[in-house]
Amino acid sequence: MEPSARREEAPLTPREIYERLDRYVIGQDAAKRAVAIAAHNHLKRVQARRVRRQSLIKKSNILLIGPTGSGKTHIARNLADILHVPFTTVDATEYTEAGYYGKDVEVMISDLLLKANHSVEDTQRGIIFVDEVDKIARRSQGARNGAGSRDIGGEGVQQGLLKLLEGREVYVPLNVTQAWNKSDFVQVDTRDILFICAGTFSDLHDAGDESSRPLGFGADAAARLRRRISTRQLVEFGMLAEFLGRLPVVVQLELLGEPELMRVLTEPPDSIVREFHELLAMDDLELDFDDAALREVVHYSVSRGLGARGLRSILEHVMADVMFEAPEHRKRHLRVDADYVRARLKGLDAVQLNV
């Protein structure tokens, strides 16, 4: 090797990415494996371009499909931390077709540029998480030939995203709040930006005849196979075939059950229970949750269909009085039992949870 040649570190292997994701993301093993492979290929593609070598590796943009609270955003955010790249989350419903009131799709690159401290080089290897992509499905189903009203917030947004997903040089505004100001623009190449799109596609999950459920041995495996959402179903749902073609890695997440949600509460290094322990420890208070109390929280979340996202809101409500009184009762040991949780949860249905 020539002394002047720049040595590149070997990219993380899929197993290394998976193991790091596994520390923070409970369950969803198939999803974590697929995301780890896509991220590894993305790193190799970026590395090949850094040494100015022609590469046949295509972009591995990802589409995550799963119910609310199944961990779509959590996987993407932790992946960005593992890869040490800028990361931003955007809501697809905020964007409109170019020329109409609303955000142009290039503004999401501006959000990433802001997170990268306006470093174009760092921006060009970042990750953009586009949430709620199922809400930009084609709404004018009867106007596929171009007739009728324009679908500026649905099909128009998908068409605008095509060039970003595929990768090309675009001009993005430096000031996110003044995207209309045409004087302050910077050129960004999106070829190495990893796009992770996510949506619930709840209508597709709910579709199916109850009478056609498989019975007997192997019924669970057959049911999982039947629940797989096909590209044809997504196109019929209103997603453009060209849009789906630029998201080659399709990952379907499963609804988390009570055992997985119990682990979400306690196992990850950034778990909610650990957070409450740390908060009260700063007031010289020792906190202890009974397993039965945590099971009450998990059961409430599952019964309301809130998933992992609802656990924080439920526990914040349960612990509201404790957190209010805690600073005035230092050097004590607090124990939260199932009876206390059940009493607090009785009036929770009347509260609007922030999930």
Side-chain angles (χ1 to χ4, degrees), residues 94-98 100-107 111 157 176 179:
E94 298 179 353
Y95 297 87
T96 60
E97 187 177 348
Y100 291 86
Y101 183 80
K103 293 182 180 178
D104 293 345
V105 293
E106 288 81 8
V107 175
D111 291 333
V157 178
V176 178

Side-chain angles (χ1 to χ4, degrees), residues 69-231:
S70 58
K72 300 185 294 295
T73 308
H74 196 53
I75 288 176
R77 183 176 293 112
N78 281 281
L79 178 64
D81 291 339
I82 292 169
L83 302 184
H84 302 293
V85 296
F87 173 80
T88 188
T89 301
V90 299
D91 193 325
T93 59
E94 298 179 353
Y95 297 87
T96 60
E97 187 177 348
Y100 291 86
Y101 183 80
K103 293 182 180 178
D104 293 345
V105 293
E106 288 81 8
V107 175
M108 65 178 62
I109 310 295
S110 297
D111 291 333
L112 186 63
L113 185 65
L114 182 64
K115 296 294 177 64
N117 295 320
H118 292 90
S119 169
V120 175
E121 182 179 356
D122 290 341
T123 301
Q124 292 178 159
R125 60 185 184 89
I127 296 177
I128 297 180
F129 181 78
V130 187
D131 202 4
E132 306 287 359
V133 292
D134 54 323
K135 305 303 188 297
I136 59 171
R138 182 191 290 112
R139 300 184 181 94
S140 53
Q141 295 288 343
R144 296 186 180 181
N145 59 357
S149 59
R150 293 191 62 86
D151 189 6
I152 63 171
E155 182 180 0
V157 178
Q158 292 188 61
Q159 292 173 346
L161 284 171
L162 293 180
K163 61 181 180 180
L164 300 183
L165 294 174
E166 186 175 11
R168 68 178 61 176
E169 294 181 349
V170 295
Y171 287 93
V172 299
L174 282 173
N175 192 337
V176 178
T177 61
Q178 295 183 358
W180 48 265
N181 188 353
K182 302 301 181 181
S183 60
D184 296 327
F185 274 69
V186 65
Q187 192 175 37
V188 176
D189 191 342
T190 68
R191 283 179 292 180
D192 289 336
I193 295 178
L194 182 64
F195 287 85
I196 302 178
C197 300
T200 59
F201 295 91
S202 55
D203 294 342
L204 297 182
H205 284 286
D206 298 337
D209 184 7
E210 294 290 327
S211 62
S212 64
R213 285 188 174 181
L215 302 174
F217 293 109
D220 292 340
R224 284 195 297 270
L225 182 62
R226 184 178 57 83
R227 286 197 300 267
R228 299 299 301 178
I229 296 175
S230 65
T231 302

